[in-house]
Amino acid sequence: MGERKNKLQKFLKLHPKCIFCGGYVDATTIEHCPPRSLFQNKMAPEKFEFPSCVACNNYSSDEDLIVAVMARMGSPAFGDSDGRLVGMMKALNRQKPKFYKSFLPSATEARINNRQLGITPTAGMTHQEMGVLNINDETREAIKVFAKKLAKGIAYLEEGLIFSNDHCLALNWFTNANVIKDGGHKVFEILSHIGGVTPKLSRNRVVLNNQFEYKFSLSDDKNLILIQAKFGESFFLVINGCMTAGHLENLLEKTYQDLGRDYRPFEIIQGIAMDPISSN
Ligand SMILES: [Zn+2]
């Protein structure tokens, strides 16, 4: 117990402020992002521990569970190597029974989905427990909450940047089902050419990039960041961030106006609310 407390005190001395609510509040806890439960045997990569206030740490526990279940279910080849998935699904059902019902496809839906996507359940698993989930509003919300935290964590880890609450983060995300059905994903393809770093992620020398991998890009003036992240075979996040309030929001609004269509690949998940410019 004492050792753990020491470790925390040492960590907080180096990282005194909560990075999730703007860097103003003293951090008193360590937040793991992505959540450890997303990784097999809870072996999360080293360094993915961030200074957090209690409020920010507790805020996303439901979302963390949803995201961890999604990442595992969408990666049938290894998503349940540690045998924890069913327990996590039961926990989710206990915590959010109504949500769980709409999240999990029916047995028939699951069988059809999995057949289309070429997914075969591994031993002891049903079609429902493998592969494709129904993406509902709450799932989308969970991904947004998670993406915000992840972007702040990676920006801090890679460059020591702390996003304040009026700095913009914009998200585009998609699942393995989108990729398989559409034969790829446009945003990912376009942005894949942007230079950046893809670090090797490991714990105790076990490489974990099959479960979580990202590419981090930063503009020369350190004003814009781009994160392209992959969670096993399950889902993919593309997050744009900007350290100048209002800049990215305007840029996106202008781009969408020029494109002259309602389709907005990036959704602003944090930043200054913009009045949508009318398209007439
Ligand atoms: Zn905080």
Side-chain angles (χ1 to χ4, degrees):
M1 210 54 196
E3 203 177 308
R4 213 167 139 189
K5 212 172 170 186
N6 268 343
K7 196 190 149 205
L8 176 66
Q9 292 314 329
K10 229 167 141 183
F11 180 83
L12 294 176
K13 216 173 215 174
L14 290 170
H15 310 279
K17 297 292 179 191
C18 174
I19 63 156
F20 297 110
C21 52
Y24 322 107
V25 179
D26 284 344
T28 52
T29 67
I30 294 174
E31 167 73 320
H32 295 84
C33 184
R36 275 180 296 183
S37 56
L38 186 145
F39 297 93
Q40 299 304 309
N41 298 305
K42 294 193 169 178
M43 259 179 54
E46 281 145 19
K47 295 189 199 161
F48 282 77
E49 297 178 349
F50 303 103
S52 175
C53 66
V54 173
C56 286
N57 200 328
N58 292 343
Y59 173 68
S60 64
S61 59
D62 283 352
E63 286 83 358
D64 282 350
L65 183 56
I66 293 171
V67 165
V69 167
M70 272 182 75
R72 283 163 168 261
M73 279 186 72
S75 310
F78 55 82
D80 192 35
S81 307
D82 63 359
R84 284 173 199 257
L85 179 55
V86 172
M88 287 166 66
M89 290 166 81
K90 282 184 181 158
L92 190 56
N93 190 20
R94 264 197 314 277
Q95 275 168 245
K96 302 175 85 62
K98 230 177 108 190
F99 162 74
Y100 188 75
K101 230 176 233 165
S102 69
F103 183 58
L104 203 65
S106 72
T108 315
E109 280 173 339
R111 209 173 308 121
I112 294 168
N113 277 339
N114 288 353
R115 193 174 304 140
Q116 273 180 351
L117 300 174
I119 292 168
T120 314
T122 51
M125 301 288 284
T126 66
H127 273 283
Q128 268 177 302
E129 290 161 354
M130 302 292 295
V132 186
L133 296 157
N134 291 325
I135 304 300
N136 57 22
D137 285 346
E138 212 166 337
T139 317
R140 276 185 273 270
E141 274 314 304
I143 292 281
K144 276 189 226 171
V145 168
F146 172 61
K148 242 190 261 187
K149 273 198 152 168
L150 183 75
K152 290 174 184 180
I154 291 176
Y156 185 69
L157 183 64
E158 292 290 343
E159 287 290 332
L161 302 174
I162 298 182
F163 272 78
S164 57
N165 295 333
D166 60 356
H167 290 160
C168 183
L169 290 167
L171 169 71
N172 177 299
W173 76 280
F174 48 98
T175 65
N176 57 352
N178 297 129
V179 172
I180 295 167
K181 282 178 184 155
D182 306 337
H185 199 277
K186 227 176 190 164
V187 170
F188 233 38
E189 280 158 23
I190 294 167
L191 297 175
S192 67
H193 306 293
I194 294 181
V197 288
T198 303
K200 190 164 99 179
L201 306 178
S202 63
R203 176 163 296 269
N204 305 332
R205 297 204 193 140
V206 178
V207 177
L208 300 166
N209 287 54
N210 66 327
Q211 298 176 61
F212 165 48
E213 185 173 73
Y214 66 86
K215 180 156 128 184
F216 177 79
S217 315
L218 179 69
S219 64
D220 290 340
D221 60 2
K222 299 202 171 193
N223 190 38
L224 286 163
I225 65 159
L226 176 71
I227 292 164
Q228 301 173 75
K230 184 170 171 265
F231 295 85
E233 304 298 322
S234 182
F235 65 94
F236 309 83
L237 306 180
V238 182
I239 309 160
N240 246 312
C242 182
M243 308 292 287
T244 304
H247 176 68
L248 182 60
E249 295 90 327
N250 276 317
L251 201 73
L252 289 173
E253 196 59 54
K254 177 92 181 36
T255 306
Y256 297 153
Q257 194 192 15
D258 290 348
L259 288 172
R261 57 192 158 105
D262 292 333
Y263 174 58
R264 288 160 179 257
F266 281 91
E267 182 185 358
I268 291 169
I269 54 173
Q270 172 178 301
I272 294 168
M274 291 272 128
D275 285 334
I277 301 166
S278 76
S279 50
N280 352 309

